[in-house]
């Protein structure tokens, strides 16, 4: 029998009309999130918990319909306002186990977007019972009752992003009914056992997928979510009583070898997650709101406003083989091109005849690479007006490094009492004071003594499910160890910025394999890829703003002296709406090629003050990996910028719809390359732009200056 949810004000304890969401207490005391006019059974409890001995009421692949979740009953709630945001904490308790759940919902509006907003959630669990409770999964946010405007699932489209080394941010879409098929529930009286899910595996949080996904309907409504975890995460969506539900998780036992024993009086905090909801505008509008949310949760830093141009010697250039002789001419040419930061990437510590990969850890400069000392090179960078930077992979110690023997065993990841080894490296556990003290000494030497102002923090191994080091009270699961380490890692990164406020930290995980907003709430930049083929980079560059704010998205631009002028312009254009990561043998270029590089950097410096307040949009939709035409834009209060790429043979013209610019004139300005034989015809009344790129493998950056 279906029980209707009461809709009087006594049962509605929280409401955000712009999100179409209300938290209501049903007749059994359960708190459920959704529309207040929906049936109880299509909704799900506000928190779902599995624990050993307390599983699910309907077995399958879903981690909803849990026994504890059904029993958690309303205790009370309170609302406060913090920094202009409404924050409500709803208190629940399970009468059987004594588990208490404190659910914090932080809501924000959509700014200029009507009928839009976001909801950020996290859960604090406290064991108020008399016996230990072994947790196996906990939701950060669950809600039900999602449907299209007709109240069905037939008009919903599911969007998710695959992620891989060299192939980041590959968005996919499918009709919801292709992934969650109708099962004729009325014929057998039960929900299905399956769901659509995506999850991380191991210590690369985005090594398989982005922790971002969404739903849209045919009328432009969108639901977009993000899980903010550098350790395990998972989301699932499926059908419940004719509507869709959504459940967002951190790590769990089934997927990440995570379980966590709560002794009486102890507590556990879930990872945060955010849901964006829009009534119109589809994914573009939703990503605009998510971009504002990301800007709101990150640590304040002057780099987010200054956006200096970065030259890095690695990509398609020195490739981990820096020396004084090779670096000095690159420093000279990078400064002449307009770079403001010069990063010496991997290899600067390589003083081992057997190679550096499995010997890293001490992070001392290699004497044979820098006969006059690395200070000579760092001084040369400063003398040319640039900030010196260095590459560092802080969480690993090579198996041949002396530190592998001198640091205590408890300072490293272990499983089954054995130190974990992966690709010639051990992994530090930053919960251990010796591991943290070692890295503090390294960074304070590089920054405090050497005057380094930029650190590229890389991470090139997947260490697996985690560590059982047991630095806390008793044994731990690998997933719990990984989550504990990552929380300590974020705290360590924040402590560096506390001691060195102007230090800039770049987050890199073999490119974009740890591209999450636990990391990016602390780090200033994110490497988007290690992709070395300039023709393969555009779909990554075009989609990067789905994963990271534009002003944090570091995109490689690696022009070479043997490139044609078209090829140089192509690789540079892709970086101009993000953060320019310049590379290439600039010192060997002729005057025409070098002038094209300088021109791009000049354009970037002109437009960068507007990047940090702009919102991304995609007039051709999110890019496909093999798409011939791609487009990515930024719209702000004063200007709209649009990058268009044409790859390979095919038509020379492409029409793009820009409804937000309808009625705005005149024809957009070609910013780069300039001069250019690319042309743009603008139908202001229809809001249609037709771009003509007469040659394949070319690109153009356009600008409209108008308020909208």
């Amino acid at each position: 029998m279906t029980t209707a949810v009461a809709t009087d004000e006594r049962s509605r304890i929280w409401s955000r009309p712009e999100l179409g969401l209300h938290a209501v207490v049903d007749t059994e005391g359960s708190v459920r999130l959704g529309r207040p006019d929906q049936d109880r059974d299509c909704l799900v409890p506000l928190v779902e918990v599995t624990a050993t001995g307390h599983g699910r009421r309907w077995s399958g692949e879903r981690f909803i319909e849990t026994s504890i979740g059904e029993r958690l009953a309303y205790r009370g709630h309170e609302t406060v306002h913090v920094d202009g945001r409404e924050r409500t904490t709803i208190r629940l308790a399970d009468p059987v186990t004594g588990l208490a759940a404190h659910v914090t919902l932080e809501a924000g509006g959509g700014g200029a977007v009507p009928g839009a907003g976001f909801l950020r959630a996290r859960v604090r669990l406290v064991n108020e019972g008399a016996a230990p409770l072994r947790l196996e999964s906990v939701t950060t946010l669950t809600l039900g009752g999602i449907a299209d405007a007709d109240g069905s699932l037939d008009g919903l489209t599911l969007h998710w992003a695959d992620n891989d080394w060299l192939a980041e941010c590959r968005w996919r879409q499918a009709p919801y009914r292709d992934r969650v098929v109708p099962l004729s529930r009325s014929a057998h009286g039960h929900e299905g056992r399956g769901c659509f899910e995506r999850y991380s595996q191991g210590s690369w949080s985005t090594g398989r997928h982005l922790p971002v996904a969404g739903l849209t309907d045919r009328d432009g409504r969108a639901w977009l979510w993000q899980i903010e975890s550098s350790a395990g995460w998972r989301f699932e969506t499926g059908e419940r009583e004719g509507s869709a539900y959504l459940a967002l998780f951190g790590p769990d036992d089934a997927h990440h070898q995570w379980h966590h024993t709560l002794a009486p009086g102890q507590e556990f905090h879930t990872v945060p997650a955010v849901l964006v909801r829009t009534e119109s505008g589809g994914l573009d509008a939703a990503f605009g709101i998510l971009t504002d949310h990301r800007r709101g949760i990150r640590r304040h830093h002057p780099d987010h406003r200054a956006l200096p141009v970065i030259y890095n010697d690695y990509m398609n250039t020195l490739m981990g083989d820096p020396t004084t002789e090779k670096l000095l001419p690159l420093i000279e040419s990078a400064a002449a091109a307009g770079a403001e930061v010069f990063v010496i990437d991997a290899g600067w510590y390589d003083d081992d005849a057997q190679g550096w990969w499995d010997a890293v850890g001490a992070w001392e400069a290699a004497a044979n690479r820098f006969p006059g000392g690395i200070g000579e090179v760092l001084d040369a960078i400063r003398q040319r007006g640039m900030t010196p930077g260095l590459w560092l992979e802080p969480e690993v110690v090579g198996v041949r490094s002396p530190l592998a023997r001198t640091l205590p065993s408890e300072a490293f990841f272990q499983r089954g009492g054995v130190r974990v080894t992966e690709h010639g490296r051990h992994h530090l556990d930053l919960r251990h004071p010796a591991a943290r003290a070692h890295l503090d000494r390294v960074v304070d030497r590089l920054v405090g003594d050497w005057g380094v102002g930029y650190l590229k923090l890389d991470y090139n191994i997947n260490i697996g499910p985690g560590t059982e080091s047991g630095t806390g009270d008793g044994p731990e699961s690998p997933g719990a160890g990984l989550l504990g380490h990552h929380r300590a890692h974020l705290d360590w990164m924040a402590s560096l910025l506390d001691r060195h406020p102007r230090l800039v930290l770049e987050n890199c995980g073999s490119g974009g394999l740890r591209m999450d907003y636990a990391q990016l709430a602390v780090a200033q930049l994110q490497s988007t890829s290690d992709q070395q083929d300039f023709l393969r980079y555009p779909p990554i560059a075009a989609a990067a703003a789905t994963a990271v704010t534009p002003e944090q998205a570091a995109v490689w631009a690696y022009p070479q002296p043997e490139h044609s002028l078209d090829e140089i312009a192509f690789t540079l254009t892709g970086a101009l709406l993000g953060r320019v990561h310049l590379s290439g043998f600039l010192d060997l270029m002729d005057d025409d090629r070098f002038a094209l590089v300088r021109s791009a950097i000049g354009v970037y410096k002109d437009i960068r003050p507007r990047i940090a307040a702009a919102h991304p949009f995609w007039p051709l939709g999110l890019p496909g990996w093999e798409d011939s035409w791609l487009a990515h834009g930024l719209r702000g209060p004063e200007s709209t910028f649009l990058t268009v790429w044409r790859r390979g043979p095919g038509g020379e013209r492409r029409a793009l719809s820009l409804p937000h610019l309808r009625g705005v004139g005149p024809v957009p300005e070609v910013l780069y390359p300039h001069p250019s034989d690319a042309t743009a015809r603008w139908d202001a009344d229809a809001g249609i732009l037709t771009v003509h790129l007469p040659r394949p493998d070319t690109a153009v950056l356009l600008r409209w200056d108008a308020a909208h």
Side-chain angles (χ1 to χ4, degrees):
M1 178 178 178
T2 299
T3 303
V5 174
T7 58
D8 58 81
E9 292 300 324
R10 290 173 297 175
S11 64
R12 187 185 305 174
I13 59 173
W14 177 89
S15 179
R16 294 300 297 190
E18 73 277 12
L19 290 167
L21 291 178
H22 306 266
V24 295
V25 183
D26 67 17
T27 56
E28 298 174 6
S30 178
V31 178
R32 297 170 187 267
L33 192 62
R35 296 201 313 266
D37 58 343
Q38 290 170 320
D39 289 341
R40 173 192 186 275
D41 287 346
C42 79
L43 304 181
V44 287
L46 187 58
V47 181
E48 295 276 23
V49 180
T50 62
T52 307
H54 305 270
R56 292 162 292 184
R57 301 173 70 193
W58 180 241
S59 190
E61 300 301 311
R62 305 176 180 212
F63 282 79
I64 62 165
E65 299 174 297
T66 64
S67 297
I68 291 177
E70 288 289 340
R71 295 195 305 254
L72 284 170
Y74 176 67
R75 269 185 171 178
H77 74 282
E78 48 273 335
T79 298
V80 297
H81 290 84
V82 180
D83 297 328
R85 294 185 176 185
E86 180 186 278
R87 184 177 297 166
T88 297
T89 300
I90 300 172
R91 292 176 282 110
L92 311 168
D94 173 20
V96 175
T97 62
L99 182 68
H102 302 255
V103 186
T104 299
L105 304 176
E106 183 177 310
V113 181
F118 70 85
L119 175 66
R120 191 179 194 229
R122 68 185 306 168
V123 177
R124 179 169 66 97
L125 297 180
V126 184
N127 187 352
E128 297 180 355
L133 189 64
R134 187 177 182 269
L135 304 173
E136 295 182 354
S137 69
V138 187
T139 58
T140 291
L141 180 64
T142 56
L143 71 149
I146 300 172
D148 62 22
D150 296 330
S152 75
L153 302 181
D154 297 338
L156 293 181
T157 299
L158 184 61
H159 307 263
W160 72 97
D162 295 339
N163 211 62
D164 197 358
W165 185 55
L166 311 180
E168 290 84 351
C169 302
R170 297 188 333 275
W171 280 86
R172 312 287 182 129
Q173 69 177 51
Y176 193 79
R177 278 307 193 194
D178 280 3
R179 300 296 172 137
V180 180
V181 299
L183 298 176
S184 186
R185 182 188 187 280
S186 61
H188 39 73
H190 288 290
E191 297 287 356
R193 298 185 188 275
C195 59
F196 178 86
E197 64 176 0
R198 288 292 182 266
Y199 53 90
S200 64
Q201 184 179 55
S203 56
W204 276 330
S205 60
T206 57
R208 301 176 59 167
H209 310 285
L210 293 182
V212 184
L215 291 167
T216 56
D217 71 8
R218 288 172 291 208
D219 296 324
R221 298 193 300 167
W223 299 257
L224 182 67
W225 56 88
Q226 168 180 282
I227 304 171
E228 296 160 7
S229 174
S230 292
W233 60 265
R234 176 177 173 271
F235 69 79
E236 68 174 68
T237 180
E239 184 174 2
R240 185 182 174 99
E241 290 286 342
S243 297
Y245 75 88
L246 173 66
L248 309 180
F249 301 81
D252 65 49
D253 194 25
H255 301 87
H256 310 96
Q257 298 185 36
W258 177 91
H259 57 79
H260 185 90
T261 299
L262 274 186
Q266 290 185 337
E267 61 183 49
F268 171 75
H269 294 254
T270 67
V271 302
V274 64
L275 173 73
V276 170
R277 174 76 170 84
T278 68
E279 275 293 322
S280 62
L283 286 180
D284 281 3
F287 274 115
I289 296 167
L290 185 58
T291 298
D292 285 341
H293 164 73
R294 290 166 170 170
R295 288 167 173 158
I297 64 171
R298 68 191 180 193
R299 180 186 178 108
H300 293 294
H301 195 284
D303 181 79
H304 296 145
R305 299 182 299 276
L307 312 192
V309 175
I310 299 151
Y311 182 94
N312 182 300
D313 68 27
Y314 186 85
M315 193 61 71
N316 295 353
T317 310
L318 299 187
M319 299 296 291
D321 188 27
T323 65
T324 299
E325 181 181 9
K326 294 176 181 178
L327 285 167
L328 290 180
L330 289 177
I331 292 168
E332 191 75 36
S333 59
E340 295 153 305
V341 176
F342 190 101
V343 179
I344 304 171
D345 207 281
W348 59 269
Y349 39 78
D350 180 14
D351 207 5
D352 192 300
Q354 299 180 56
W356 59 264
W357 180 264
D358 58 359
V360 295
W363 307 112
E364 297 283 357
N368 66 324
R369 292 183 172 275
F370 307 103
I374 196 171
E376 176 187 1
V377 178
L378 299 177
D379 286 344
I381 294 169
R382 280 187 288 266
Q383 288 166 6
R384 285 154 183 81
M386 297 182 291
T387 298
L390 289 175
W391 181 95
L392 199 66
E393 195 170 358
E395 294 165 82
V396 301
V397 170
V399 296
R400 293 193 300 106
S401 170
L403 285 160
R405 298 181 295 276
T406 58
L407 287 173
S409 294
E410 296 78 16
F412 295 94
F413 274 34
Q414 301 177 63
R415 292 198 289 272
V418 178
R419 187 183 299 185
V420 179
T421 303
E422 177 72 10
H423 199 178
R425 274 97 177 275
H426 302 307
H427 197 295
L428 292 172
D429 187 338
L430 283 179
R431 296 173 295 176
H432 195 282
R436 182 156 174 164
H438 156 62
L439 291 183
D440 281 343
R441 287 192 295 270
V442 168
V443 173
D444 289 345
R445 169 168 48 86
L446 302 184
V447 178
D449 298 344
W450 294 9
V452 169
Y454 184 109
L455 289 176
K456 176 177 179 175
L457 303 182
D458 209 343
Y459 185 72
N460 288 305
I461 61 172
N462 187 335
I463 202 62
T467 177
E468 301 166 331
S469 299
T471 57
D473 298 327
E476 65 181 352
S477 65
L482 183 63
L483 180 60
H485 160 75
H486 273 304
R487 285 174 166 168
H489 177 226
L490 297 174
D491 182 74
W492 173 72
M493 290 170 62
S495 74
L496 300 184
L497 296 171
D498 289 341
R499 294 200 305 277
H500 308 288
R502 300 197 69 82
L503 175 65
V504 174
L505 300 179
E506 176 191 338
N507 185 48
C508 182
S510 281
L513 301 188
R514 204 156 70 169
M515 189 158 44
D516 63 76
Y517 260 87
Q519 298 277 119
L520 287 167
V522 183
Q524 285 66 63
L525 289 93
Q526 171 66 51
S527 176
T528 55
S529 188
D530 281 351
Q531 177 57 250
Q532 293 177 245
D533 184 344
F534 70 92
L535 294 177
R536 286 292 186 187
Y537 215 125
I540 302 171
T546 63
V548 57
T549 65
E551 63 272 20
Q552 290 178 278
V555 176
W556 287 102
Y558 28 63
Q560 299 296 346
E562 68 273 14
H563 281 176
S564 69
L565 295 180
D566 275 352
E567 289 172 334
I568 288 176
F570 190 92
T571 185
L572 286 160
T573 303
L576 297 181
L577 294 185
R579 294 298 298 273
V580 177
H581 254 40
L582 186 63
S583 196
F585 289 103
L586 307 183
D587 56 312
L588 303 180
M589 287 185 174
D590 62 29
D591 290 346
D592 289 343
R593 286 167 172 77
F594 192 75
L596 198 56
V597 175
R598 281 182 53 87
S599 172
I601 301 306
V603 167
Y604 182 75
K605 290 181 177 180
D606 179 57
I607 69 174
R608 65 183 172 185
R610 302 181 185 183
I611 291 175
H615 295 143
F617 68 97
W618 295 269
L620 295 176
L622 294 178
W625 187 246
E626 301 291 347
D627 285 356
S628 296
W629 287 82
L630 306 98
H632 163 238
L634 294 179
R635 54 181 293 188
E638 299 176 350
S639 302
T640 289
F641 301 96
L642 180 66
T643 301
V644 182
W645 295 263
R646 177 193 167 196
R647 298 189 298 175
E652 298 180 1
R653 290 175 173 80
R654 188 63 184 264
L656 303 89
S657 176
L658 291 89
H660 76 280
L661 288 174
R662 191 174 290 123
V664 172
V667 173
E669 175 188 4
V670 175
L671 285 184
Y672 186 80
H674 191 77
S676 171
D677 53 6
T679 59
R681 187 174 71 251
W682 174 234
D683 184 340
D685 292 337
I688 300 295
L689 175 73
T690 302
V691 175
H692 179 217
L693 294 176
R695 293 182 303 284
D697 302 330
T698 55
V700 66
L701 175 63
L702 306 168
R703 175 175 65 186
W704 290 257
D705 281 329
H708 42 268

